Amino acid sequence: MLRFQWSGLWLGVALASCLSGQTLKMEALANPAPQGANQANWSLTADGKPILVWVEPAGEEAATLRYAIRTGAQWSPARTVAAKRTFFRHPAEAPEVVSLKDGTLAAHWIEMPPDSEAEFVYVSTSKDGTRWSAPVMAHKDRSQNLHGLASMVAS
């Protein structure tokens, strides 16, 4: 499983191109995330297709975690992982959707309850990419502490 971030993607592509002796050609691609979305993050499906995940505002306190998969020259329709949640919105706390070898998708994100300094890690899985399991807190400690800076890798 390779994990790319915006700047790391371009650096990796440029480095690979230089090392292989090929000419680097970059072109802009349509972004499936709407205006106002944030916390974008990349991963790959088990068969190498890019997955883009992001958080969309959905009201004053709430937001929705969505993702799309690129196949060929197109993005899939955006799909919802978790809706109307209190996501912690910070560039270092990027959510993820990763693909396991059997095609199962696993997601994680950080939530910050209103009027709290706590951060809690939640996870959810999907066999078909459309229906997701009910979010579950990924740790047993329920204290009002910071539990953030999580990451996942398919293994």
Side-chain angles (χ1 to χ4, degrees):
M1 182 0 245
L2 298 174
R3 182 165 183 258
F4 297 110
Q5 292 185 352
W6 292 102
S7 60
L9 174 63
W10 295 118
L11 176 61
V13 169
L15 183 58
S17 177
C18 293
L19 293 175
S20 67
Q22 296 178 1
T23 303
L24 176 63
K25 179 183 174 190
M26 296 174 78
E27 61 184 77
L29 298 174
N31 182 347
Q35 188 76 4
N38 56 39
Q39 290 181 271
N41 201 358
W42 291 97
S43 64
L44 297 173
T45 63
D47 60 356
K49 296 174 187 164
I51 302 172
L52 178 63
V53 61
W54 64 90
V55 175
E56 290 180 18
E60 197 66 31
E61 296 285 329
T64 298
L65 181 62
R66 303 196 77 200
Y67 78 99
I69 298 175
R70 187 153 182 100
T71 301
Q74 296 186 65
W75 287 104
S76 69
R79 294 181 177 153
T80 299
V81 175
K84 298 182 181 174
R85 310 281 298 188
T86 55
F87 292 95
F88 180 54
R89 298 178 202 165
H90 187 279
E93 302 283 4
E96 287 182 289
V97 171
V98 298
S99 176
L100 306 179
K101 288 182 183 178
D102 68 357
T104 298
L105 296 175
H108 87 79
W109 62 90
I110 309 299
E111 291 189 25
M112 181 181 234
D115 302 322
S116 173
E117 294 295 318
E119 296 174 15
F120 298 108
V121 180
Y122 284 85
V123 295
S124 182
T125 60
S126 176
K127 290 282 188 188
D128 64 6
T130 303
R131 293 172 302 200
W132 288 81
S133 64
V136 175
M137 197 177 294
H139 45 85
K140 293 180 181 180
D141 179 13
R142 304 296 199 255
S143 64
Q144 297 293 304
N145 291 309
L146 304 178
H147 300 89
L149 296 173
S151 64
M152 290 191 307
V153 62
S155 169

